[in-house]
Amino acid sequence: MRLLHPFETSFGATQERHVVLVKVWDGAVGGYGEVTAAEGPFYSHETWETAWHILRDYIIPAVIGKEIQDPGDFRSFVQGIRGHNMAKAGLETALWDLNARIKNVPLWKALGGVRERIDCGVSIGIQPSIDKLLAKVAAELSAGYRRIKIKIKPGWDLEIVKQVRDAFPNTLLMGDANSAYTLADVELFRKLDRYNLMMLEQPLHYEDIIDHAALQKEIETPICLDESIHSADDARKAIQIGACKIINIKLGRVGGYREARAVHDICRDHGVPVWCGGMLESGIGRSHNVALSSLENFSLPGDVADSRRYWQEDIIEPSVEVSGDGQISERAGAGIGYRVKEDLIDRLTMRSQVFSA
Ligand code: OSB
Ligand code: MG
């Protein structure tokens, strides 16, 4: 699937997406999941090809033909496979969808969600010019989005944040560095403190919490961790040492709903708000993000936005729609609550494989 616009972060730009989808079929009902790994190993070590390999050769053989009463049991089958959380989440989230469809309940309710409408923000990539960025921010605000995230990197940071803040003094604004800095940049972050950012996402190394804790002591702006948090245990440690005040939860990064809920719960118990991150998902991954965001402690606007920001035509029907006041409504239907356009998926498919018990 080709993104309508290239998306650029501190680690590079992307436009062509290879989306690995997982469909689980119990003989009567199907459930769908999405692997959120990118084309290259830049956000994380996983790519869509490594996910395919790990699913085909390890995850699916560990699960196929097994009796699964509860999708939370999935973890016990794949415990021996280290890492590859996005590959695991592709199948785990499909099992949650399947289970909710079998029980004929909306997935967000099966998860224990309480928010019938979720607050939406947008993530705006690095732009060719500050004028283009300002125009994008203005357009997203008039579309109704409640929070603006701008990607930053060395050379596209202080001045950019200043100009956006000057132009939009009252907007909920944050920056996401995707690990582009080190502790040597602490002066820069002190200067960023002037611009009343809601948070600064993952400024330092993608596996670090120690340096983030040191940085958080030096600055006022809350640090939000993304890349560094792969589990509830990571979240506990990060909170314990003061590495962050907010956590972004992504289903892929943590390996699915079971761990996402555990991260959510640990954060809630420590008074740390969370929000749902995005990975430029197709409608299937996006609908899972909508369901996850219904949980109580998702109290900040997430990066879950309207399908039309990304795709000419999405693979679910209806597509994910954001209201004029920046919200998405949870669906009343069973499972993810959207119809999956299998015919369109067939036309877009470049590789597929069927595994039977
Ligand atoms: O860091 O949150 C991130 C996209 C790809 C990889 C990492 C990130 C992002 C985004 C975009 O910020 C979120 C979205 O609009 O899906
Ligand atoms: Mg991020």
Side-chain angles (χ1 to χ4, degrees):
M1 292 174 78
R2 187 178 166 82
L3 288 166
L4 286 172
H5 310 283
F7 187 78
E8 186 174 338
T9 67
S10 63
F11 55 75
T14 190
Q15 185 154 25
E16 303 296 334
R17 300 287 339 277
H18 295 80
V19 182
V20 176
L21 298 175
V22 180
K23 177 178 181 181
V24 286
W25 177 255
D26 75 345
V29 182
Y32 300 84
E34 175 169 338
V35 173
T36 60
E39 319 333 292
F42 308 120
Y43 167 80
S44 84
H45 63 275
E46 292 189 84
T47 72
W48 71 275
E49 283 274 24
T50 68
W52 189 283
H53 158 51
I54 298 294
L55 274 160
R56 179 194 59 207
D57 296 334
Y58 297 98
I59 298 173
I60 292 172
V63 172
I64 196 94
K66 295 271 166 46
E67 195 64 42
I68 301 179
Q69 289 306 324
D70 185 291
D73 298 343
F74 169 81
R75 175 158 69 185
S76 62
F77 299 119
V78 296
Q79 231 155 22
I81 302 167
R82 293 187 182 173
H84 299 282
N85 283 351
M86 293 176 180
K88 289 172 183 167
L91 178 49
E92 201 252 19
T93 55
L95 290 169
W96 279 91
D97 180 33
L98 174 64
N99 189 244
R101 287 177 195 254
I102 290 170
K103 295 188 164 147
N104 201 27
V105 292
L107 175 53
W108 67 276
K109 285 195 176 165
L111 292 165
V114 294
R115 299 172 181 274
E116 294 191 24
R117 295 168 68 78
I118 65 166
D119 290 346
C120 305
V122 281
S123 174
I124 303 180
I126 290 160
Q127 299 296 312
S129 70
I130 179 71
D131 288 344
K132 289 222 164 75
L133 176 62
L134 292 171
K136 281 230 165 182
V137 174
E140 302 295 11
L141 288 173
S142 55
Y145 287 101
R146 296 182 174 207
R147 182 225 65 193
I148 300 291
K149 160 167 143 185
I150 56 177
K151 293 289 192 178
I152 60 169
K153 67 173 182 181
W156 181 266
D157 43 33
L158 196 58
E159 182 58 22
I160 268 63
V161 170
K162 176 187 184 314
Q163 295 220 28
V164 174
R165 179 47 89 209
D166 287 350
F168 305 95
N170 301 316
T171 294
L172 291 181
L173 182 65
M174 60 175 287
D176 185 358
N178 290 108
S179 301
Y181 299 90
T182 71
L183 266 187
D185 299 305
V186 63
E187 259 329 297
L188 168 80
F189 295 118
R190 280 209 193 93
K191 289 182 185 146
L192 277 173
D193 266 348
R194 295 177 199 150
Y195 301 106
N196 188 29
L197 295 181
M198 206 183 174
M199 69 193 92
L200 183 61
E201 188 178 344
Q202 195 75 32
L204 308 180
H205 190 275
Y206 60 89
E207 285 175 324
D208 171 77
I209 58 172
I210 305 283
D211 283 357
H212 281 98
L215 178 60
Q216 185 68 89
K217 286 191 183 68
E218 300 293 323
I219 63 173
E220 291 295 322
T221 307
I223 291 175
C224 168
L225 290 178
D226 172 355
E227 281 91 330
S228 294
I229 305 296
H230 302 277
S231 64
D233 225 36
D234 285 350
R236 173 183 63 75
K237 293 171 189 169
I239 294 167
Q240 204 167 304
I241 67 168
C244 63
K245 296 179 177 165
I246 300 171
I247 287 179
N248 151 340
I249 301 182
K250 291 177 179 169
L251 282 164
R253 203 189 63 228
V254 304
Y257 281 111
R258 180 170 170 160
E259 201 63 25
R261 286 204 302 188
V263 175
H264 165 276
D265 292 355
I266 272 264
C267 289
R268 182 199 53 209
D269 296 347
H270 289 83
V272 170
V274 303
W275 52 276
C276 185
M279 290 293 289
L280 311 171
E281 286 92 344
S282 82
I284 290 176
R286 195 166 298 280
S287 66
H288 280 289
N289 291 343
V290 173
L292 178 68
S293 303
S294 68
L295 297 180
E296 173 193 10
N297 194 36
F298 281 81
S299 54
L300 300 172
D303 278 346
V304 187
D306 196 294
S307 295
R308 286 166 294 190
R309 285 189 79 238
Y310 305 83
W311 315 111
Q312 185 76 43
E313 185 181 4
D314 206 343
I315 58 175
I316 56 168
E317 199 174 58
S319 62
V320 172
E321 285 166 19
V322 173
S323 65
D325 62 347
Q327 292 190 315
I328 298 170
S329 296
E330 295 296 339
R331 305 281 299 170
I336 56 175
Y338 294 84
R339 189 185 76 83
V340 173
K341 295 182 187 170
E342 300 233 358
D343 46 346
L344 175 58
I345 292 174
D346 282 346
R347 271 185 277 134
L348 295 170
T349 297
M350 46 184 285
R351 187 193 297 174
S352 68
Q353 195 165 342
V354 178
F355 301 81
S356 305

